[in-house]
Amino acid sequence: MEVPDSAESTDPKNSPRVAGTVNWGTATVIGVFAGMLYGGSKEAAASVSKDAEVMLKLGSTEDKREQYRLMRDAMEKRFLRVTRGSIVGGIRLGMFTAAFYSMQNLLAEKRGVHDVFNVVGAGSATASAFGLIMPGSLRWRARNMALGSVLGAAFCFPLGWIHLKLVQMATEASPPPGQREVKSGVSAAIERLEGNLSK
C-alpha cells in the first residue's frame, strides 16, 4: 500500500486549542469525584434517622446475639446506601460535566472563539438534554427540556462571564513564555529583598 504524501498533518495532538477552553477529561474526572462525595454524604446524612430506629430496637432486646445482628445489619445497609449514593452521584455529575465541557469545547472549536456564548450554549443544551432523559410522560419531559434550556442559559451566563474575566486577568498578569527569565533561588531571593526594601 502506498501512503500519500501530504503537507497537512491530521494529528489531533497538533491541532490548536482555543485559549480558555477546559480539558473535558480532567473536568469529567473532577465531576465524578465531586458527585461521589456529594452522593455519599447525602446518603450518609439521610441514614442518621435509620440509626435512631436501630438504637430503639437495641434497647428493646436483651439478647447480645440479637443486638449484634441488628447492629451488623444496620451497618451493612448503611454501607450499601452510602456506596449506592456515591456511585449514582458520581455517574450523574460525571455525565453532566462531560456533556457540558465537550459541548463547550465543540462550540469554541466550531466558532473559533471562546466567549460567554459558548458557555451559555453548552449549559442550555446540557440542561435541556438532561431534562429530556428524566422520567415521566412525554409532555412532562418536554416541559423539563424547555425549563432546563432556559435555566441552563440563565445560570451559565454569569458563570461564563466570571470565567472569562478570570482567564483574561490570568493571561494579563503572566508575561509571555519567551520573556520569562529563569532565576536561581539566590538571585530571586535577592530581588525580592530589594523590592521589599525599596517600598
Side-chain angles (χ1 to χ4, degrees), residues 52-117:
E53 293 175 15
V54 172
M55 290 301 178
L56 285 174
K57 287 180 185 176
L58 282 176
S60 65
T61 60
E62 296 296 325
D63 186 17
K64 293 291 182 187
R65 286 185 189 170
E66 184 65 19
Q67 289 178 353
Y68 176 74
R69 189 189 63 76
L70 286 171
M71 283 299 290
R72 187 188 66 215
D73 289 346
M75 291 172 108
E76 286 175 1
K77 287 178 183 177
R78 184 177 190 172
F79 175 77
L80 292 175
R81 275 194 308 270
V82 170
T83 304
R84 185 181 61 236
S86 294
I87 291 170
V88 169
I91 289 172
R92 284 181 181 167
L93 192 59
M95 283 180 13
F96 187 86
T97 306
F100 176 78
Y101 281 110
S102 59
M103 178 65 74
Q104 180 182 346
N105 289 346
L106 178 74
L107 288 172
E109 185 179 321
K110 294 298 179 191
R111 294 181 64 226
V113 64
H114 180 63
D115 60 359
V116 72
F117 298 113

Side-chain angles (χ1 to χ4, degrees), residues 100-175:
F100 176 78
Y101 281 110
S102 59
M103 178 65 74
Q104 180 182 346
N105 289 346
L106 178 74
L107 288 172
E109 185 179 321
K110 294 298 179 191
R111 294 181 64 226
V113 64
H114 180 63
D115 60 359
V116 72
F117 298 113
N118 294 340
V119 180
V120 170
S124 177
T126 306
S128 177
F130 275 82
L132 183 64
I133 64 173
M134 290 180 75
S137 66
L138 187 60
R139 188 177 203 173
W140 187 256
R141 288 179 183 191
R143 177 194 160 280
N144 287 342
M145 187 175 158
L147 188 63
S149 177
V150 171
L151 288 178
F155 186 70
C156 286
F157 184 78
L159 292 178
W161 184 78
I162 291 169
H163 171 72
L164 287 175
K165 290 299 176 188
L166 289 173
V167 168
Q168 284 177 353
M169 288 171 41
T171 55
E172 289 172 358
S174 64

Side-chain angles (χ1 to χ4, degrees), residues 183-199:
K183 297 182 179 182
S184 68
V186 175
S187 63
I190 291 171
E191 282 192 14
R192 280 196 308 267
L193 181 63
E194 287 175 349
N196 289 337
L197 292 175
S198 66
K199 288 182 182 179

